Amino acid sequence: MADPTTSGPYPLAEPGLWVERVGLKVFPTGTPALFLDRDGTINVDTGYPDDPTDMVLREDVAAVIATANRADIPVVIVTNQSGIARGYYGWGDFAVVNGRVLDLLRADNAFVDMVVACAY
């Protein structure tokens, strides 16, 4: 069981807060953005997601994200991961699962600009 307060190689802004910029695109200040919850909105909710093979995208979500991409609207995934705070899994497990979700989206030509996760 991983310690949720240690960052290791992960983009933790502070203990319990993951802030990851995906890609290099820069948007002007004040640009509207699309914020989407991950579990249950982007992917089918599996409870405490610690297995990347369980990740399945919800129907039509990639099309919505791709539409935002074409309109030059930043897409941000926001997600609470209380399983980390509870010690069910760690940031490493989160990284692998989240990477799988991003890969599934990319396979459907849908791209995310930022991921923000809170362990509490």
Side-chain angles (χ1 to χ4, degrees):
M1 188 174 331
D3 178 355
T5 62
T6 60
S7 65
Y10 307 114
L12 296 183
E14 58 186 64
L17 180 61
W18 176 288
V19 179
E20 177 183 10
R21 181 175 173 189
V22 181
L24 301 174
K25 194 164 189 178
V26 176
F27 296 91
T29 300
T31 301
L34 175 62
F35 289 80
L36 296 169
D37 185 36
R38 193 187 75 183
D39 303 323
T41 301
I42 294 176
N43 57 273
V44 174
D45 195 347
T46 62
Y48 294 105
D50 63 351
D51 186 347
T53 62
D54 290 342
M55 295 298 101
V56 175
L57 296 181
R58 291 188 52 126
E59 190 174 336
D60 296 329
V61 72
V64 169
I65 293 171
T67 298
N69 295 153
R70 286 190 300 276
D72 214 26
I73 297 170
V75 178
V76 181
I77 292 177
V78 292
T79 181
N80 63 315
Q81 296 295 310
S82 65
I84 294 172
R86 292 182 171 130
Y88 298 158
Y89 55 91
W91 285 114
D93 301 305
F94 170 81
V96 173
V97 167
N98 199 65
R100 174 71 176 148
V101 171
L102 296 178
D103 288 345
L104 290 169
L105 289 169
R106 277 191 289 270
D108 280 339
N109 294 311
F111 303 94
V112 170
D113 298 290
M114 181 172 273
V115 177
V116 180
C118 180
Y120 301 98

